[in-house]
Amino acid sequence: MTQVSATAAGMAYIDGRYMPVAEAAIPITDWGYRRSDVTYDVVGVRQGHFFRLDDHISRFRASMNAFRLKPRETDEDIKLILHRCVALSGLRDAYVAMDCLRGRPPAGAPYHPAYARNYITAFAVPWISLLQPDVMARGAHLVVAETVRISARSVDPTAKNFHWADLTRGQFEAHDRGADFCVLLAEDATVTEGPGFNIFVVSNGRIATPDSGVLEGITRRSVIELCGGLGLPIDVRPVPVAELRDADEIFLSTTAGGVMPATRIDGRIMSNDRPGPISRQVHDAFWSRRAEGWHATPVDYAAS
């Protein structure tokens, strides 16, 4: 593989060094790997612009604080690292991740996470979307998983983390049932989220999204802002599973895909098996505002 093709496939940063993403590696003895002791965030780049970069870095820092991770890099350092990963790759549309991992205590130190070194990794790779274009056009098919979401009393869902055992198990349930994605419930049978996305339910022209047990997504925040501007009533509150199953429309939000309509829930067809009018309105408004430069930060391609 030539350096050009390796660079085009993506660039990474690990603990002070830049490299092609295919060469990036972490020690298998680090607790970031062995214990999933990691927090992360993901920001999108479209047409050479980050979307809500400062908001993503702010949430990343809040997640690090929640997990008591303290790398040497400042927020401004992290911002520059992300710019350089994209610039070195030359990508105009990119999926850009930032991680903070816990290493392991040095020899002679107590075998406790408080004594382990913390460090930053990041990478930029070609844009990733959770839905392929044909699935986006017809709408995602969802199922409510039997697997219950990990309790927020154990793992704080507002801090992004690698504790995906429940989401992964739910995805196998969805696969076995011929669906695209699972939706996980809390112990009280209220809706939480899916693997990498927040959920919005439309009933009688009013939108609702769960208020707890979920990552407070940046795209979710953007949708709430958009609905206010569009005059669409929206509530952030508990959403019972019955409301999800009886919804007129459902749509999802995520960095890796934006606003994604759904058309089936547990086999029930909504909106004639095509994205509903409110889902389409929010989807179109989101990408229209993005094209206008909404919350956009130009990538510093000179950072390479």
Side-chain angles (χ1 to χ4, degrees), residues 138-155:
R138 59 119 159 121
H141 297 168
L142 311 175
V143 296
V144 176
E146 294 183 7
T147 302
V148 175
R149 189 76 171 104
I150 293 173
S151 170
R153 295 176 63 188
S154 298
V155 179

Side-chain angles (χ1 to χ4, degrees), residues 263-276:
T263 51
R264 296 187 187 186
I265 178 70
D266 285 343
R268 184 177 75 85
I269 296 174
M270 299 171 287
S271 303
N272 295 318
D273 219 12
R274 284 295 180 268

Side-chain angles (χ1 to χ4, degrees), residues 135-140 200-203 205 207 232 247-252 259-264 269-285:
V135 179
M136 182 74 82
R138 59 119 159 121
F200 294 82
V201 175
V202 183
S203 301
I207 305 168
L232 296 171
D248 298 324
E249 299 179 42
I250 299 169
F251 62 89
L252 320 171
V259 176
M260 308 184 302
T263 51
R264 296 187 187 186
I269 296 174
M270 299 171 287
S271 303
N272 295 318
D273 219 12
R274 284 295 180 268
I278 290 178
S279 301
R280 291 198 306 270
Q281 184 180 7
V282 176
H283 171 276
D284 292 349

Side-chain angles (χ1 to χ4, degrees), residues 2 9 41 51 66 70 85 88 99 103 125 150-151 160 166 173 189 203 206 214 230 233 235 237 256 258 269 292-293:
T2 67
D41 217 291
F51 181 61
K70 297 180 179 180
C85 283
L88 288 168
D99 302 346
V125 295
I150 293 173
S151 170
K160 284 180 77 72
D166 53 352
E173 290 186 47
S203 301
R206 193 170 192 96
V214 302
L230 294 168
D235 303 311
R237 59 167 173 79
I269 296 174
E292 294 167 359

Side-chain angles (χ1 to χ4, degrees), residues 1-15:
M1 179 181 290
T2 67
Q3 186 63 40
V4 172
S5 61
T7 299
M11 291 296 293
Y13 167 95
I14 297 183
D15 201 15

